[in-house]
Amino acid sequence: MAAAADSPMLCVGADEAADITFGLALDPAAGEVRLPSKASSARIARALTRRQFQQRWALPAELTDDAVLLVAELVGNAVQHAGAAQFGLRLRRRRGWVRAEVRDPSRALPCLLPVREMDVVSGRGLFLVDTLADRWGVDLLANGKCTWFEMRVGPRPPG
């Protein structure tokens, strides 16, 4: 996966990230949305994903709920482990598939840990991604990595 140097990048500053209304004005399907590496950014990423899947793409509620959960997990990993000031979120749709990407400047690869007990609070993120997504992976970039997942969807509604 090539870096999205030619894609538009939309940035949200630390002050704006706290304002979910401002965050919803951004479109992660039009270009990468940059958010500060703060736990509060997960809320914006979830809201952006829900809006894109449910309202703009009119995808089923179950698929939307799963995608929102998985985006939150990837964002949580970027915030907790990347050690960067920001991360990027991008959502894409092509025939039969949706894709979510979270980019950060760390080249450290995430690890899929075995989950033996479901009451474990930490370490389940990639287990959930592996379970709910049809496919997922990590692309190393010149300046970091892109962790992504894809899910199958039905055809677009007419019109």
Side-chain angles (χ1 to χ4, degrees):
M1 165 124 226
D6 57 343
S7 300
M9 187 183 306
L10 307 166
C11 295
V12 177
D15 293 334
E16 292 95 352
D19 183 358
I20 192 73
T21 304
F22 179 82
L24 286 175
L26 301 174
D27 185 356
E32 183 175 272
V33 174
R34 304 289 297 170
L35 297 167
S37 283
K38 295 177 151 191
S40 61
S41 291
R43 178 177 56 132
I44 293 172
R46 287 191 307 268
L48 291 170
T49 302
R50 181 166 302 284
R51 182 189 63 184
Q52 190 66 44
F53 277 61
Q54 202 167 46
Q55 296 172 7
R56 293 188 171 167
W57 290 339
L59 296 175
E62 183 177 355
L63 179 79
T64 297
D65 291 344
D66 288 349
V68 168
L69 173 63
L70 299 186
V71 163
E73 294 297 339
L74 295 187
V75 166
N77 282 349
V79 169
Q80 185 175 4
H81 301 294
Q86 340 181 303
F87 65 89
L89 172 66
R90 178 93 193 240
L91 303 174
R92 300 171 186 247
R93 183 170 184 190
R94 66 181 197 275
R95 177 178 286 155
W97 293 92
V98 289
R99 178 181 175 109
E101 302 174 348
V102 174
R103 296 174 189 258
D104 66 64
S106 170
R107 291 182 54 88
L109 297 176
C111 297
L112 176 60
L113 301 173
V115 176
R116 293 190 178 95
E117 298 180 27
M118 289 309 293
D119 61 344
V120 174
V121 175
S122 179
R124 296 185 315 149
L126 287 180
F127 172 79
L128 291 171
V129 172
D130 190 56
T131 301
L132 297 175
D134 290 294
R135 53 189 178 208
W136 70 276
V138 180
D139 297 329
L140 288 176
L141 308 171
N143 58 350
K145 70 177 173 296
C146 173
T147 308
W148 55 268
F149 68 84
E150 294 180 334
M151 302 170 90
R152 285 188 177 98
V153 297
R156 291 179 191 239

